[in-house]
Amino acid sequence: MHEHESAPTNIKRAFKLGILINLIFVVIETVFGFSANALSLIADAGHNLSDVLGLVVSWVAVLLSSRPRTSARTYGYKRSSILAALFNAIFLLVAIGGILVEAIQRLQHTQPVAENKVIVVALIGILINGFTAYLFMKDQHHDLNVKGAFLHMAADTLVSVGVVLAAIVVKFTHWFWLDPVISLIIAVIIFMGTWGLLRDAVNLSLDAVPKAVDYDEVKQFIEATPGVLAIHDLHIWGLSTTENALTVHICRQTLADNNQFLEHLDHELTKNFALSHITIQVELGEIKNESVKHSI
């Protein structure tokens, strides 16, 4: 028995608006960063570009999850979001390398920056990142994908605050070395987020148990269900970056109430865990040395 949950549709407008305004800001921040000779703005533009890519991945996952499955792709295109996340992580690691090289060169040869431009652009970033986080605030409580977007944008709001504070300090102290130092800090922040993205994408591509699901807790929950003698071949993996699947073999002594048993267990698993596609095979008998006496 299985239950399939279609992709959510009520947040599509939020993703579209968030992607649009952040992409516009990336362009503005890059142009002003070069004109103001502010590497911290350019580095933050790269960070905001990662936000755009992250939002695009999440949005594409929402769109692809609604596409019908075919005989060639029985799960549809759900895993494409995992591949996109893996690509984005690799792309961002390359971008981080470029930022680090430029920042080190700037530290060796410090240059003045247009502090006023940096402050104005970073303040705009605070408004845009904060507004984008607000777009996802309502839905982030019941959608892990949206929660990730919300936390990312909320963190970026704090990064923009850091850029503003650094520019103010440079304006009054002329510590021009502070600009490349801030860019190094931003690069570290990008790396921390990117490393998590890369790790999770690789794990999902290898069918590892998703972080949102505790394997042992699920196993104990099923074993404690009335009527269950034993279980084996319990597998939990991610269908996409937002949907998780489970398959399990369950041994019982009777099949008299099998339909009700399956409906109840399916309902309880989806209610208590981040699972959306469940397949259960019931077997009659007890397990001895991982073999089943009789299989139904």
Side-chain angles (χ1 to χ4, degrees), residues 202-225:
V202 170
N203 286 337
L204 287 175
S205 66
L206 295 176
D207 289 335
V209 177
K211 293 173 59 177
V213 183
D214 187 317
Y215 180 92
D216 292 329
E217 187 176 351
V218 173
K219 183 175 182 292
Q220 293 172 6
F221 184 89
I222 298 175
E223 290 175 335
T225 301

Side-chain angles (χ1 to χ4, degrees), residues 4-244:
H4 179 71
E5 185 179 274
S6 60
T9 58
N10 61 327
I11 58 172
K12 290 182 180 180
R13 181 175 301 178
F15 275 116
K16 290 180 181 179
L17 183 57
I19 291 170
L20 178 61
I21 62 177
N22 278 274
L23 189 58
I24 292 174
F25 180 62
V26 166
V27 175
I28 294 175
E29 197 170 27
T30 301
V31 172
F32 275 87
F34 280 108
S35 65
N37 196 33
L39 184 60
S40 60
L41 277 183
I42 299 173
D44 194 46
H47 190 189
N48 286 316
L49 180 60
S50 73
D51 299 337
V52 174
L53 294 175
L55 291 175
V56 168
V57 168
S58 299
W59 182 45
V60 169
V62 171
L63 296 178
L64 290 180
S65 65
S66 62
R67 296 192 62 176
R69 60 186 180 182
T70 66
S71 58
R73 293 182 173 86
T74 58
Y75 279 119
Y77 293 83
K78 297 184 182 300
R79 294 184 73 87
S80 60
S81 63
I82 299 175
L83 296 177
L86 185 60
F87 171 81
N88 287 341
I90 296 174
F91 173 78
L92 288 171
L93 288 176
V94 175
I96 290 171
I99 294 174
L100 291 176
V101 171
E102 183 65 21
I104 293 174
Q105 292 178 348
R106 288 290 187 94
L107 278 174
Q108 295 173 344
H109 305 89
T110 57
Q111 301 178 23
V113 298
E115 294 87 2
N116 291 333
K117 288 184 178 180
V118 173
I119 293 173
V120 170
V121 176
L123 285 173
I124 296 174
I126 293 174
L127 294 175
I128 290 179
N129 290 327
F131 176 70
T132 306
Y134 171 77
L135 292 176
F136 301 112
M137 183 176 296
K138 179 181 179 181
D139 293 296
Q140 59 102 8
H141 296 292
H142 53 81
D143 189 320
L144 292 176
N145 188 34
V146 178
K147 183 176 182 179
F150 169 78
L151 293 177
H152 201 169
M153 300 311 303
D156 293 339
T157 304
L158 297 178
V159 171
S160 295
V161 171
V163 172
V164 171
L165 295 177
I168 293 175
V169 173
V170 171
K171 181 178 177 64
F172 292 100
T173 64
H174 300 294
W175 293 346
F176 300 119
W177 52 265
L178 191 60
D179 176 65
V181 168
I182 291 297
S183 69
L184 286 173
I185 295 174
I186 293 175
V188 171
I189 294 174
I190 300 173
F191 177 79
M192 292 172 61
T194 302
W195 182 256
L197 175 65
L198 178 63
R199 181 193 61 231
D200 294 342
V202 170
N203 286 337
L204 287 175
S205 66
L206 295 176
D207 289 335
V209 177
K211 293 173 59 177
V213 183
D214 187 317
Y215 180 92
D216 292 329
E217 187 176 351
V218 173
K219 183 175 182 292
Q220 293 172 6
F221 184 89
I222 298 175
E223 290 175 335
T225 301
V228 174
L229 294 176
I231 70 172
H232 66 102
D233 291 322
L234 172 62
H235 300 285
I236 304 174
W237 73 99
L239 290 176
S240 68
T241 55
T242 58
E243 295 183 56
N244 303 319

